[in-house]
């Protein structure tokens, strides 16, 4: 949520900052701004809307070699130009961008800033005003910055400019991601290495509550109390082409097309020298030693977690609970004696999940993070990490990361079962390869899926997705995809549950998508379809080869009954995509959302 960039070097900062912000737009896109400093002072450009809108507001004649930038996902204050970052102190000496939430901003404002007329409704402005207050009291900028940080509670990634300092970006972070990139004769700041890959692939990881001075030719890292830290940069293993759309109209379409390759990559990454599926020995031991697994996740990752529970229980015989991360803090269940917590998160930065991780680490429990982002907060702070190897996912709606989560969960459950001597009657490696082919068939069926979107959703106000057993969990995900990118009200339901109330909503023409991939409940779900059709629903049955019947709208290739979620989700993703396109929605950047949800 919110993206930050900074540049201190010899080139004109404006273009580098704008390009960087374009790469961070997935983190928020309701307003954006940059501030650059030259001999004449600091100039701020900001605009409501996208980076493209900001570009038109930037004056080409202003040149500067140091600057900061921000793309916003509003938390405090409506998305408008006034609340867009950067924010400035009363005299204009200090300029700040911030990602995160300052929980005690109101108290700080009352205690220290009574005489200051605030310019915005944001929590951020309090920080920049405090820095100026303490500087006016005689502290140096870095002292004023440190003193301010010692007072604020909450999450922040910050980059600050001082009009009177031509060579420093003052940087700090707590609970929000931030990296410093190093180059030859320049240094940069970014929420995500992707943003500054244009100039460097060398990055220094920052830890919470460190204070960092980013000069043109050196980076000084210190603790909050001023102790110096020496930390070497790492190479960001990102390929610039991974983060380009290429010839695709949308990242989401590209990422859906990448799904067969992602499953094949996972098979490859998790095969040992003998070609057998394998995971790190320490992780395997942790999984085997646990008497119960607690999966913690949000949104799409939560839906993958529900499927993961089935894998661990059915294949490995380990009991599992799945919890929504934002609820877990208030609702800690009675824990077993030897729990292992599994955090599923594509971004590795989700604040709701992180607060659970912090809590369970305080309680002394082990944690495994399954994520797509190596080095992300949840990966660093857990004991173990399993990577998704899905490659960067830029579209806000998660597709390939979800498929990767399901595949990695299946693999972890399978390897655990194998090593505990469980009787397993299938070869997962082979079945995953078959599933990858099944996904390929689905992504190759775009014309048919576009037609389905047209036939069922063109004028729909709402839609239902139903399924039983594993199909139910995929229905939840299908409904989430449709609502987040097309804004059609959609619900996923267990087929048997509709008649207990929700069937009241079915009327003439209501679209109902029914998944039929689970043999043992195929007749039951078909019975549920009959119930809704009898009440006027426009039913679209998506069945699996071997279970199909005349009149089914789409038949997916046959895959192992436990792996159907890898394939059944793909038509639902594509139907949502085309429904959103027909409605002229911004597929990659749906309204009100952001890719990485770093506020609780
Ligand atoms: C929806 C989507 C979200 C995320 C959720 C958790 O397409 O992507 O529902 O799954 O915000 O994010 P992560 O997985 O990064 O923890």
């Amino acid at each position: 949520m919110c993206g930050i960039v900074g540049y201190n070097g010899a080139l004109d900062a404006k273009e580098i900052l704008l390009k960087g912000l374009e790469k961070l737009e997935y983190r928020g896109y309701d307003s954006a701004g940059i501030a650059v400093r030259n001999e004449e002072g600091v100039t701020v450009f900001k605009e409501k809307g996208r980076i493209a809108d900001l570009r038109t507001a930037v004056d080409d004649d202003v040149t500067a070699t140091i600057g900061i930038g921000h793309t916003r996902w509003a938390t405090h204050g409506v998305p408008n130009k006034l609340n867009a970052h950067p924010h400035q102190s009363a005299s204009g000496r200090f300029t700040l961008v911030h990602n995160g939430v300052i929980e005690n901003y109101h108290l700080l404002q009352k205690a220290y800033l009574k005489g200051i007329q605030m310019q915005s409704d944001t929590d951020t402005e309090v920080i920049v005003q405090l820095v100026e207050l303490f500087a006016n009291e005689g502290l140096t900028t870095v002292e004023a910055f440190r003193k301010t940080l010692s007072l604020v509670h909450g999450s922040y990634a910050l980059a600050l400019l001082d009009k009177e300092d031509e060579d420093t970006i003052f940087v700090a972070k707590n609970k929000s991601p931030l990296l410093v990139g190093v180059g030859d004769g320049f240094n940069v700041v970014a929420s995500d290495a992707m943003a500054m890959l244009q100039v460097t692939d060398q990055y220094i990881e920052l830890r919470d509550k460190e204070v960092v001075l980013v000069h043109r030719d050196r980076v000084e890292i210190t603790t909050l109390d001023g102790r110096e830290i020496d930390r070497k940069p790492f190479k960001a293993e990102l390929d610039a082409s991974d983060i380009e759309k290429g010839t695709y109209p949308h990242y989401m379409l590209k990422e859906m097309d990448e799904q067969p390759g992602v499953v094949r990559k996972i098979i490859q990454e998790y095969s040992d020298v003998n070609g057998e599926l394998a995971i790190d020995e320490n992780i395997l031991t942790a999984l085997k030693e646990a008497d119960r697994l607690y999966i913690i996740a949000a949104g799409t990752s939560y839906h993958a977690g529900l499927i993961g529970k089935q894998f661990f229980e059915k294949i490995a015989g380990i009991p599992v609970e799945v919890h929504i991360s934002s609820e877990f803090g208030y609702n800690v269940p009675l824990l077993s004696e030897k729990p292992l917590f599994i955090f599923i998160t594509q971004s590795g930065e989700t604040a709701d999940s992180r607060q659970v991780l912090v809590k369970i680490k305080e309680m002394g429990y082990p944690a495994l993070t399954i994520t797509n982002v190596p080095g992300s907060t949840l990966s660093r702070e857990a004991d173990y990490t399993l990577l998704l190897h899905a490659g960067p996912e830029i579209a806000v709606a998660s597709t390939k990361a979800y498929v990767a989560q399901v595949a990695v969960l299946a693999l972890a459950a399978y390897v655990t079962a194998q090593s505990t001597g469980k009787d397993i009657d299938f070869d997962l490696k082979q079945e995953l390869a078959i599933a990858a082919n099944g996904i390929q068939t689905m992504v190759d069926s775009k014309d048919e899926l576009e037609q389905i979107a047209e036939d069922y959703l063109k004028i729909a106000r709402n839609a239902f997705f139903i399924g039983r057993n594993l199909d139910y969990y995929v229905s939840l995900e299908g409904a989430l995809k449709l609502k987040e990118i097309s804004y059609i009200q959609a619900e996923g339901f267990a087929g048997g549950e509709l008649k207990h109330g929700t069937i009241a909503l079915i009327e003439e023409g209501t679209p109902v998508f029914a998944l039929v991939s689970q043999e043992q409940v195929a007749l039951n779900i078909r019975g549920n379809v009959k119930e809704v059709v009898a009440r006027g629903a426009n039913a679209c049955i998506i069945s699996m080869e071997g279970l199909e019947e005349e009149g089914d709208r789409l038949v997916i290739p046959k895959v192992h009954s436990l792996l159907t979620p890898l394939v059944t989700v793909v038509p639902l993703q594509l139907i949502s995509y085309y429904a959103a396109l027909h409605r002229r929605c911004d597929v990659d950047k749906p309204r009100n959302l952001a890719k990485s949800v770093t506020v609780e």
Side-chain angles (χ1 to χ4, degrees):
M1 303 236 129
C2 303
I4 286 180
V5 285
Y7 174 80
N8 189 2
L11 302 175
D12 184 22
K14 286 191 321 276
E15 189 52 29
I16 295 172
L17 295 173
L18 287 169
K19 276 207 182 110
L21 289 179
E22 276 161 5
K23 295 280 180 274
L24 290 183
E25 236 181 353
Y26 73 90
R27 301 181 67 87
Y29 36 81
D30 56 45
S31 55
I34 59 170
V36 290
R37 184 204 173 280
N38 57 22
E39 309 75 52
E40 273 138 54
V42 172
T43 313
V44 175
F45 302 100
K46 34 189 190 175
E47 207 52 66
K48 181 173 185 297
R50 304 289 166 87
I51 310 303
D53 302 306
L54 173 64
R55 260 188 189 282
T56 58
V58 170
D59 180 350
D60 283 342
D61 295 338
V62 178
T63 54
T65 55
I66 180 169
I68 53 179
H70 186 273
T71 179
R72 179 170 188 246
W73 186 86
T75 58
H76 295 64
V78 296
N80 60 19
K81 194 167 166 178
L82 210 64
N83 291 327
H85 298 219
H87 291 284
Q88 291 197 292
S89 58
S91 76
R93 176 176 164 189
F94 296 102
T95 308
L96 178 80
V97 291
H98 166 220
N99 163 28
V101 173
I102 305 303
E103 288 153 13
N104 60 339
Y105 82 103
H106 219 60
L107 294 175
L108 292 172
Q109 193 181 342
K110 271 201 201 139
Y112 294 90
L113 301 169
K114 275 220 178 83
I116 308 274
Q117 178 64 45
M118 290 288 174
Q119 306 296 316
S120 73
D121 305 319
T122 65
D123 50 341
T124 305
E125 195 186 335
V126 167
I127 307 178
V128 74
Q129 301 291 11
L130 281 174
V131 174
E132 175 153 297
L133 177 80
F134 299 137
N136 287 344
E137 286 173 6
L139 297 187
T140 63
T141 302
V142 70
E143 286 166 352
F145 191 45
R146 281 185 206 288
K147 180 160 177 184
T148 304
L149 296 178
S150 70
L151 295 173
V152 299
H153 296 162
S155 55
Y156 54 79
L158 300 169
L160 175 89
L161 286 181
D162 175 358
K163 193 164 82 177
E164 292 172 14
D165 185 332
E166 58 170 29
D167 181 39
T168 314
I169 305 174
F170 299 82
V171 168
K173 78 171 278 293
N174 186 44
K175 299 199 241 176
S176 295
L178 199 61
L179 296 167
V180 167
V182 291
D184 193 5
F186 70 89
N187 290 305
V188 296
V189 183
S191 301
D192 183 329
M194 239 188 248
M196 285 296 168
L197 213 54
Q198 45 165 328
V199 287
T200 183
D201 61 2
Q202 298 295 314
Y203 288 87
I204 303 176
E205 192 185 284
L206 307 185
R207 308 256 159 89
D208 284 354
K209 303 212 168 140
E210 289 176 341
V211 174
V212 185
L213 305 188
V214 178
H215 306 291
R216 183 190 285 194
D217 60 358
R218 67 188 199 288
V219 174
E220 290 175 63
I221 309 176
T222 55
T223 57
L224 191 54
D225 52 17
R227 202 163 31 83
E228 277 182 33
I229 295 171
D230 183 27
R231 190 169 305 135
K232 298 276 167 284
F234 65 91
K235 183 170 185 291
E237 299 290 348
L238 276 171
D239 184 336
S241 65
D242 284 352
I243 57 175
E244 299 300 337
K245 271 202 302 248
T247 53
Y248 281 91
H250 298 101
Y251 280 108
M252 185 179 174
L253 193 60
K254 172 175 182 261
E255 289 159 7
M256 289 186 288
D257 266 359
E258 285 168 354
Q259 294 179 118
V262 167
V263 174
R264 292 183 192 118
K265 175 106 196 283
I266 287 169
I267 302 174
Q268 196 188 341
E269 291 287 339
Y270 287 103
S271 289
D272 65 15
V273 284
N274 303 316
E276 300 295 331
L277 292 178
I279 57 172
D280 176 90
E281 277 302 321
N282 295 322
I283 301 178
L284 189 54
T285 308
L287 286 166
K288 285 196 299 191
E289 283 178 353
D291 63 357
R292 187 174 284 261
L293 305 176
Y294 293 82
I295 293 181
I296 311 291
T300 287
S301 300
Y302 172 74
H303 297 155
L306 294 170
I307 294 162
K309 172 181 162 75
Q310 301 300 317
F311 294 155
F312 275 103
E313 294 193 337
K314 296 206 167 107
I315 308 174
I318 307 175
V320 184
E321 288 180 26
V322 192
H323 293 269
I324 293 175
S325 42
S326 57
E327 283 294 304
F328 188 89
Y330 328 106
N331 235 339
V332 181
L334 290 176
L335 296 176
S336 64
E337 264 176 38
K338 294 204 74 183
L340 173 68
F341 283 81
I342 301 183
F343 293 85
I344 306 178
T345 165
Q346 50 85 19
S347 67
E349 300 294 346
T350 301
D352 288 334
S353 299
R354 188 190 180 233
Q355 48 102 4
V356 180
L357 175 59
V358 170
K359 190 179 183 106
I360 64 104
K361 290 312 294 170
E362 279 165 12
M363 292 159 92
Y365 295 123
L368 160 67
T369 290
I370 300 181
T371 183
N372 202 26
V373 184
S376 56
T377 307
L378 274 114
S379 165
R380 281 202 317 274
E381 295 180 357
D383 303 87
Y384 319 103
T385 298
L386 281 175
L387 289 176
L388 296 174
H389 298 293
E393 189 178 66
I394 315 270
V396 164
S398 184
T399 53
K400 64 174 178 172
Y402 165 88
V403 159
Q405 288 167 343
V406 173
V408 168
L409 284 161
L411 198 140
Y414 184 85
V415 173
T416 310
Q418 272 188 327
S419 100
T420 50
K422 286 267 174 322
D423 200 16
I424 312 173
D425 61 358
F426 66 101
D427 176 349
L428 182 67
K429 194 165 175 176
Q430 201 181 327
E431 298 300 340
L432 280 173
I434 295 171
N437 294 341
I439 298 173
Q440 188 66 56
T441 308
M442 284 299 101
V443 296
D444 291 343
S445 309
K446 291 191 185 72
D447 290 347
E448 172 61 359
L449 292 163
E450 179 166 12
Q451 193 57 53
I452 293 179
E454 167 111 26
D455 293 349
Y456 289 84
L457 296 169
K458 194 161 181 200
I459 50 159
R461 279 185 300 124
N462 57 359
F464 291 89
F465 292 76
I466 60 171
R468 285 176 177 248
N469 196 351
L470 288 171
D471 289 339
Y472 162 45
Y473 306 130
V474 178
S475 299
L476 296 176
E477 176 58 10
L480 178 59
K481 277 306 79 106
L482 184 65
K483 53 192 157 190
E484 72 180 317
I485 60 169
S486 75
Y487 319 140
I488 298 172
Q489 163 71 36
E491 298 298 333
F493 266 92
E497 191 62 13
L498 274 185
K499 60 182 176 295
H500 297 292
T502 311
I503 203 163
L505 294 175
I506 302 291
E507 50 191 33
E508 203 53 43
T510 305
V512 176
F513 294 88
L515 296 178
V516 188
S517 81
Q518 300 293 302
E519 191 171 1
Q520 73 282 27
V521 290
L523 292 178
N524 309 64
I525 191 73
R526 285 191 186 277
N528 299 136
V529 172
K530 291 214 165 61
E531 289 156 13
V532 291
V533 168
R535 286 154 182 88
N538 188 15
C540 173
I541 298 180
I542 299 176
S543 58
M544 192 172 72
E545 214 176 291
L547 300 176
E548 77 270 32
E549 283 185 10
E550 211 185 317
D552 291 356
R553 183 63 197 256
L554 186 79
V555 180
I556 67 159
K558 188 166 174 51
V559 294
H560 191 281
S561 62
L562 279 173
L563 298 185
T564 58
L566 291 170
V567 186
T568 47
V569 76
V570 181
L572 303 188
Q573 295 167 343
L574 278 156
I575 289 168
S576 302
Y577 172 79
Y578 288 114
L581 274 194
H582 291 154
R583 285 169 192 241
R584 301 186 191 288
C585 299
D586 188 341
V587 174
D588 282 340
K589 298 189 186 82
R591 69 184 180 207
N592 305 340
L593 294 175
K595 183 78 183 156
S596 165
V597 187
T598 53
V599 294
E600 282 171 31

